[in-house]
Amino acid sequence: MATAATAWQHIAEHSDTAAIAALEQSLAAHPDSAASLPGMLACSPFVAGLLRRQPGLLTGLLAGGLLQRSLEDGELMEELEQLLAAPGAELGPVLRRFRQRHMLRIVWRDFSRMADTLETVRDTSWLAETCIGLTQSYLHNQLETRFGVPKGRFSGEPQQLIVIAMGKLGARELNVSSDIDLIFAFPESGDTDSTRRSISNTEFFTKLGQGLITALDQITAEGFVFRVDMRLRPYGESGALATNFAAFEEYYQDQGRDWERYAMVKARPITGDPQRGAELMATLRPFVYRRYVDFGVIESLRGMKQMINAEVRRRGLQADVKLGHGGIREIEFIAQCFQLIRGGRDLGLQQRELLRVLEECSKLGCLPPESVAELRSAYLFLRDSEHAIQGYLDQQTQALPAEPLQQSAMATVMGYDTWDGYLAALDEHRNRVAGHFRDLIAEPESDREEPVEELPLWDEDLDAATLAGLGYEQPEQSLEQLQVLQHSSRVATLQVEGRERLQQFMPRLLLACAEAEQPDRALQRILPLVTAVLRRSAYLALLLENPPALGDLVLLCEASPWIAQQLERQPVLLDELLDRGSLYTAADRALLAAELQQQVARLQPGDLEAQMDALRYFKASHVLRVAASELVGRLPLMQVSDKLTWIAEVILEHVIAVAWADLTARFGQPQRDSDGYGFAIFGYGKLGGIELSYSSDLDLVFIFDADAQGVTDGERSIDNVKFYTRLGQRIIHILETRMTMGQLYQVDMRLRPSGNSGMLVSSLRGFRSYQQDTAWTWEHQALVRARLVAGDPIVGQGVDDVRREILCQPRDATALAEEVVSMRERMRSKLSPAAHTVEFDLKQSVGGIVDIEFMVQYAVLAWSSRVPDLARWSDNIRILETLAREGLFEQRESEALIDAYLAFRSAAHQLALQQQPGVVPGERYRELRENVEAIWKRLFRAQVE
């Protein structure tokens, strides 16, 4: 500790003996700080130098208690405001002394480990923001005195400079001796309102920016405040110092490059009107974060990665904890790669703080949890190392020290007895980081395995013989389709990047299709998708970067034109091909609900459009997974319908929540007896029967149970009936509105009481009255398949009680049979194929699905008064099983109907995936059809004779 003793001796020799005496007295009153002093003096000549020149700095910190505790948000701002408001205060000296005082505090707390890494970077960032914000206000007021208030040309509103913090300051991760990367913007062009000396807003804010830089960056006898770097602004050093929003947005839309997207990930407005700053960031978000998974940026990121590696080799940066292999920059690069690639879709990645981004990568499955734990540990270790280097002399460097004295000091700060001990720990961390960095965006496997010269041609020399040699069975036809694409206007007008990607992609597509059972069919179905994404060639990059995804694309499109069409209409679904585990695994209801909740939790509250977009992607992606699982044989029919029904139920539950939040924010809560919504959605038809198919609409009925005379409790109060009607309207709006990804579901409300002429939302009392007194037999038939699918379970129980009561009331079986048969005959006359046709309509033909459904509905209505258990279920299979168990149908009859029902529905599913109507040759299923006909005739003998 000889260094510490010498440093203290220099401090004690200060000419202001009173200041030294006060310091000694303060240290005596704070023994913990006194015990830390020798180590601080030995490990930081910067601290020793500050105390030698201004011993009162430490005295003041100890007296005010600031050295011993963490700061509160806003505390620095309040302190600097008071200093600048003091009589005779000069901006430059006040800023520099303020910086010295708090850098002493920050370094002391960091080196003594009174503060953790995150507190150190936060406090340093707060210090910078405080200095920038109050300096801007101070200089702005001076300029207004000279030139007047800058006003917007269009709005006429006063204008403020928006300082955008970039890099580490943007993320509030500033190190203890960092420069600050800034960009200056202002909302509107225009002029100041001075009648004597008016200047343009551009000139006003340029002067303000110049003054701000000088105030912070200029080195005086008292040092500097922060070094300022403006090179990240539009057009770099040759660009205007301050840019209006319109020019700002135009630059990034027209000329923004990928490295600028990378830089903008951490951009954060720190001064000016927060609302205008948020508006600016909103206009930049589409530039930074693409709406889709952006594999198109990978090549640029790969180039950046190669530049990083080359720079380390060229400049010999291995001793640099930031820039060297395994350093801070590589961890930042890993996180920001995932942000640029996936941030447009996974909104949780749209954060600035690195550790939060890494945690989100773990949640999303981008990185394994153990990898994130290693990167987090290494990041904190490396940032502590950076601070130990910089806090030694307050110098902006990340190079490991070469002098033994500084090495010893750094090892001590880092908690190691020897320099070699510290280096061993450092190497361990850096080796782990370097491994993760090396594996990131590696070259796709196919590039290593397939020499380019072995790929088929994709240019004017492509011929039918080449395609035939690859295994295409209709090479002339496939060649013609390829030539149509080659000569299309879309290809002709492609930019260079898109054309190059197409040139890379098509040979690989031709090879991948050649591996299919029917190469020509696979190619024919995929080419419309290729055409659709030509101007969004990042999708081609996605498939180039992920050869297994290309293989799955060919497999699924060859198997199903329906899937090919879904991908053509919604190319964003190509992202689902990246994870084969989830692609061929359809989630259960609990997992669906958890995933949807996780996706929407990252959205801004109240952003209805974002919620609607998220719901549409959620539905489309999970329906794709169900279809893929069915095609490869992982899901039997019953499970397919279960999965599709669960998707709808989870969506409906969330749609109620979104609509409820929107309406209650405007009108308040409706008066009701329960804590729930007082509102329920009942599914009828296929939804109620748990038999949804890929293109099913939703038969819904809305019921509320609240006092019709009640009102909502908001300032804009409305009556309960109007509230619940608007709730139903909002739900339908969310479900049916056509957006980029289409509708969620088509909704059919015709089964509500009184059909299209009835109220959109019925009260529970009104529903009961209608079913008891007014409903037709066919409406009671529909009630058989009614089931609560979303909403308040108490209301749902009330509706279900009405349902069971209606279904279980005694009926004249003969009269009922006549009504059922008559209804079925009318349907056949309108919907069934002509009697002479040889085709079998799976749904409407005699012996088809509807005949089975009518028999089941008749059975429930006729016999539930004797066997109430029949009214328990809404799906046909369990009702048929109950009929057999209770002896109402013979076991063989029940089994025959179940076999036919499942066979017909399975065939309908398969035809839907092939985009074929639900019609098959008449000879198919003849035995099953005859069984259904025989049971129909037996059940309705009197009516059909």
Side-chain angles (χ1 to χ4, degrees):
M1 285 292 185
T3 303
T6 301
W8 177 251
Q9 182 179 351
H10 289 315
I11 294 169
E13 291 172 353
H14 194 279
S15 58
D16 189 345
T17 56
I20 297 301
L23 175 58
E24 291 175 335
Q25 186 176 357
S26 293
L27 288 169
H30 298 89
D32 289 345
S33 298
S36 300
L37 180 61
M40 291 301 305
L41 297 177
C43 294
S44 177
F46 163 65
V47 169
L50 275 180
L51 296 183
R52 185 170 66 252
R53 295 187 298 275
Q54 301 180 64
L57 287 177
L58 182 55
T59 306
L61 289 171
L62 290 170
L66 287 179
L67 199 64
Q68 296 90 343
R69 65 173 177 84
S70 300
L71 290 175
E72 299 292 332
D73 191 6
E75 198 169 349
L76 288 174
M77 186 73 71
E78 183 179 346
E79 180 183 336
L80 184 55
E81 284 176 339
Q82 292 175 357
L83 292 172
L84 289 172
E90 294 182 36
L91 179 63
V94 167
L95 287 174
R96 282 152 182 78
R97 292 169 195 155
F98 181 72
R99 192 256 183 191
Q100 290 166 0
R101 166 179 162 84
H102 283 285
M103 285 310 302
L104 170 61
R105 175 189 173 277
I106 290 169
V107 172
W108 186 296
R109 285 179 59 79
D110 184 82
F111 278 25
S112 62
R113 294 301 183 254
M114 297 167 68
D116 63 16
T117 315
L118 299 184
E119 179 180 320
T120 296
V121 298
R122 183 203 65 192
D123 284 3
T124 309
S125 301
W126 278 351
L127 177 61
E129 290 176 42
T130 300
C131 292
I132 293 167
L134 291 181
T135 300
Q136 176 179 322
S137 297
Y138 185 96
L139 297 174
H140 186 104
N141 292 337
Q142 287 187 339
L143 287 171
E144 279 193 355
T145 302
R146 297 172 57 197
F147 304 109
V149 177
K151 296 290 188 69
R153 175 166 295 148
F154 305 105
S155 69
E157 296 293 325
Q159 303 289 292
Q160 296 179 23
L161 183 69
I162 307 289
V163 174
I164 303 169
M166 306 291 286
K168 287 189 169 62
L169 179 57
R172 281 193 171 150
E173 296 169 343
L174 208 59
N175 56 51
V176 298
S177 187
S178 177
D179 59 2
I180 49 178
D181 295 296
L182 305 178
I183 295 177
F184 298 153
F186 59 95
E188 291 181 57
S189 59
D191 301 290
T192 61
D193 63 0
S194 172
T195 57
R196 293 181 295 107
R197 194 180 174 189
S198 176
I199 60 175
S200 70
N201 288 354
T202 299
E203 189 175 355
F204 182 94
F205 290 116
T206 298
K207 289 179 181 293
L208 178 54
Q210 291 168 339
L212 180 58
I213 294 169
T214 300
L216 298 174
D217 192 90
Q218 189 175 57
I219 299 175
T220 70
E222 295 188 86
F224 64 96
V225 187
F226 285 96
R227 307 172 196 87
V228 179
D229 190 334
M230 299 294 300
R231 289 175 296 176
L232 292 179
R233 68 185 187 271
Y235 300 105
E237 291 179 300
S238 63
L241 190 65
T243 309
N244 66 59
F245 282 11
F248 206 81
E249 182 179 2
E250 182 180 1
Y251 170 81
Y252 285 105
Q253 283 185 348
D254 296 344
Q255 302 188 48
R257 290 155 290 182
D258 285 329
W259 70 263
E260 288 174 299
R261 289 179 60 198
Y262 184 89
M264 276 290 169
V265 164
K266 292 182 180 292
R268 177 171 61 93
I270 59 173
T271 70
D273 183 343
Q275 183 175 346
R276 300 311 301 268
E279 289 173 10
L280 179 60
M281 289 298 100
T283 64
L284 293 176
R285 191 169 294 118
F287 165 69
V288 181
Y289 298 109
R290 305 300 195 241
R291 289 178 65 88
Y292 43 82
V293 176
D294 186 12
F295 276 84
V297 78
I298 283 186
E299 204 55 47
S300 293
L301 291 171
R302 193 173 281 140
M304 292 183 206
K305 177 181 174 183
Q306 291 168 353
M307 289 171 61
I308 290 171
N309 289 330
E311 183 185 21
V312 172
R313 290 191 299 268
R314 186 181 71 255
R315 294 175 56 190
L317 294 173
Q318 190 51 40
D320 194 300
V321 297
K322 175 184 177 181
L323 304 177
H325 283 309
I328 296 168
R329 179 170 61 176
E330 293 187 0
I331 302 175
E332 293 173 336
F333 187 81
I334 291 169
Q336 287 177 257
C337 274
F338 288 113
Q339 288 182 279
L340 290 184
I341 295 170
R342 299 181 61 104
R345 217 203 73 193
D346 296 313
L347 302 186
L349 291 172
Q350 293 185 19
Q351 303 186 66
R352 300 177 180 93
E353 300 87 343
L354 182 136
L355 293 181
R356 291 186 182 180
V357 173
L358 288 177
E359 186 62 34
E360 193 66 24
C361 287
S362 176
K363 291 179 183 177
L364 293 170
C366 304
L367 288 169
E370 55 273 17
S371 298
V372 170
E374 289 178 359
L375 291 170
R376 175 187 173 86
S377 178
Y379 178 74
L380 295 174
F381 184 90
L382 291 166
R383 292 305 302 270
D384 285 342
S385 299
E386 181 181 43
H387 295 154
I389 294 169
Q390 295 181 341
Y392 187 75
L393 285 173
D394 190 23
Q395 291 181 343
Q396 186 186 7
T397 178
Q398 288 90 8
L400 292 170
E403 296 296 324
L405 189 63
Q406 187 177 352
Q407 289 177 345
S408 176
M410 184 173 179
T412 300
V413 171
M414 294 297 295
Y416 292 90
D417 295 330
T418 66
W419 178 244
D420 287 342
Y422 164 74
L423 285 181
L426 174 66
D427 287 344
E428 187 175 343
H429 282 297
R430 294 207 298 187
N431 286 337
R432 290 195 187 112
V433 172
H436 294 300
F437 181 73
R438 182 180 58 250
D439 294 339
L440 184 72
I441 54 173
E443 295 290 334
E445 292 180 9
S446 63
D447 284 357
R448 294 192 293 266
E449 294 175 355
E450 283 177 13
V452 174
E453 59 269 15
E454 294 183 11
L455 295 172
L457 298 172
W458 166 248
D459 53 28
E460 296 300 328
D461 294 327
L462 180 64
D463 55 29
T466 301
L467 294 176
L470 292 172
Y472 284 78
E473 298 171 358
Q474 299 173 326
E476 296 289 348
Q477 181 179 338
S478 292
L479 177 63
E480 182 179 347
Q481 293 169 345
L482 290 167
Q483 289 173 338
V484 168
L485 174 62
Q486 283 179 328
H487 300 137
S488 67
S489 59
R490 289 198 176 197
V491 171
T493 56
L494 280 179
Q495 296 182 351
V496 173
E497 183 180 57
R499 188 179 297 276
E500 289 176 349
R501 283 183 182 157
L502 185 64
Q503 291 286 99
Q504 291 177 308
F505 174 74
M506 288 305 298
R508 288 168 173 78
L509 174 63
L510 294 174
L511 279 183
C513 289
E515 298 296 320
E517 288 186 17
Q518 298 187 44
D520 305 275
R521 185 169 71 180
L523 180 65
Q524 176 189 359
R525 291 176 178 176
I526 293 174
L527 283 179
L529 168 64
V530 176
T531 303
V533 302
L534 282 176
R535 299 188 189 280
R536 294 171 288 175
S537 62
Y539 291 121
L540 300 182
L542 180 154
L543 295 168
L544 284 167
E545 293 290 334
N546 297 274
L550 178 56
D552 284 322
L553 174 68
V554 172
L555 170 70
L556 294 175
C557 290
E558 182 202 9
S560 168
W562 180 86
I563 288 182
Q565 187 179 74
Q566 297 306 303
L567 292 171
E568 177 194 349
R569 291 175 177 173
Q570 303 169 95
V572 67
L573 291 176
L574 289 170
D575 181 38
E576 297 301 314
L577 305 184
L578 300 179
D579 185 349
R580 303 193 80 200
S582 65
L583 176 62
Y584 297 111
T585 305
D588 61 23
R589 198 184 193 287
L591 285 176
L592 286 167
E595 182 177 326
L596 179 57
Q597 187 57 42
Q598 186 180 43
Q599 288 184 15
V600 299
R602 303 184 180 98
L603 303 177
Q604 291 293 328
D607 190 342
L608 181 60
E609 184 177 351
Q611 295 271 357
M612 291 168 68
D613 275 332
L615 284 168
R616 279 154 178 75
Y617 182 84
F618 175 83
K619 181 205 172 183
S621 62
H622 281 284
V623 170
L624 174 64
R625 295 179 194 181
V626 173
S629 300
E630 182 177 13
L631 284 173
V632 299
R634 289 193 178 185
L635 281 182
L637 168 69
M638 294 288 285
Q639 290 187 31
V640 170
S641 293
D642 286 351
K643 305 290 187 182
L644 294 173
T645 302
W646 292 340
I647 292 169
E649 290 176 3
V650 167
I651 287 173
L652 285 170
E653 196 66 59
H654 185 73
V655 168
I656 293 180
V658 171
W660 180 269
D662 181 54
L663 286 178
T664 54
R666 296 164 59 194
F667 304 112
Q669 300 266 349
Q671 293 176 355
R672 59 199 189 282
D673 295 330
S674 69
D675 294 330
Y677 298 121
F679 176 90
I681 299 179
F682 264 67
Y684 281 60
K686 289 184 178 180
L687 176 60
I690 320 177
E691 296 172 355
L692 279 188
S693 61
Y694 293 105
S695 56
S696 295
D697 58 7
L698 302 183
D699 293 301
L700 303 179
V701 171
F702 298 153
I703 308 292
F704 77 94
D705 187 19
D707 186 356
Q709 305 303 314
V711 296
T712 61
D713 59 8
E715 291 185 9
R716 297 173 57 195
S717 180
I718 58 176
D719 65 69
N720 280 354
V721 174
K722 186 176 291 185
F723 176 89
Y724 282 113
T725 299
R726 291 189 179 182
L727 181 65
Q729 291 169 338
R730 183 52 54 91
I731 288 169
I732 294 173
H733 169 77
I734 294 171
L735 292 171
E736 289 197 332
T737 298
R738 290 195 177 278
M739 303 181 70
T740 304
M741 293 192 70
Q743 293 179 307
L744 267 174
Y745 292 97
Q746 185 72 37
V747 177
D748 190 335
M749 299 291 298
R750 289 176 296 176
L751 291 176
R752 68 186 187 271
S754 300
N756 286 337
S757 62
M759 297 283 289
L760 181 68
V761 181
S762 302
S763 69
L764 179 56
R765 180 181 300 175
F767 180 78
R768 175 183 286 108
S769 174
Y770 180 84
Q771 293 294 339
Q772 290 175 339
D773 303 331
T774 309
W776 297 81
T777 297
W778 68 264
E779 291 177 288
H780 288 172
Q781 285 181 249
L783 201 59
V784 171
R785 288 159 70 81
R787 179 177 61 88
L788 175 69
V789 292
D792 192 330
I794 295 177
V795 179
Q797 185 59 56
V799 177
D800 198 55
D801 289 344
V802 173
R803 173 184 174 273
R804 291 175 68 89
E805 176 186 327
I806 296 298
L807 296 182
C808 291
Q809 66 187 18
R811 290 178 173 82
D812 182 321
T814 301
L816 175 65
E818 289 176 354
E819 287 193 65
V820 170
V821 171
S822 175
M823 172 64 69
R824 181 67 185 112
E825 290 297 335
R826 288 198 297 271
M827 287 182 65
R828 283 176 179 162
S829 66
K830 293 180 180 179
L831 301 174
S832 294
H836 62 272
T837 184
V838 295
E839 292 183 326
F840 173 52
D841 186 310
L842 293 164
K843 184 176 180 181
Q844 296 293 345
S845 286
V846 173
I849 290 173
V850 176
D851 280 359
I852 298 172
E853 291 175 342
F854 266 56
M855 285 189 280
V856 169
Q857 291 161 13
Y858 166 79
V860 172
L861 294 177
W863 299 326
S864 288
S865 59
R866 288 188 287 131
V867 184
D869 208 32
L870 284 172
R872 179 180 177 186
W873 309 112
S874 64
D875 63 285
N876 291 313
I877 301 301
R878 283 184 289 190
I879 294 174
L880 285 167
E881 290 172 344
T882 304
L883 288 168
R885 186 173 64 249
E886 297 294 333
L888 299 169
F889 274 15
E890 292 183 14
Q891 184 68 37
R892 61 176 181 79
E893 289 182 324
S894 176
E895 291 175 354
L897 291 176
I898 290 174
D899 289 345
Y901 195 66
L902 292 178
F904 298 161
R905 282 184 52 220
S906 180
H909 270 280
Q910 294 297 325
L911 289 168
L913 288 175
Q914 298 302 322
Q915 293 185 314
Q916 299 291 325
V919 177
V920 297
E923 288 302 312
R924 191 177 301 176
Y925 306 124
R926 176 171 295 280
E927 182 179 349
L928 293 176
R929 292 170 57 193
E930 289 174 348
N931 290 339
V932 174
E933 286 185 65
I935 298 169
W936 177 277
K937 290 177 180 178
R938 196 271 302 167
L939 189 62
F940 300 117
R941 182 178 298 110
Q943 287 73 34
V944 297
E945 288 179 350

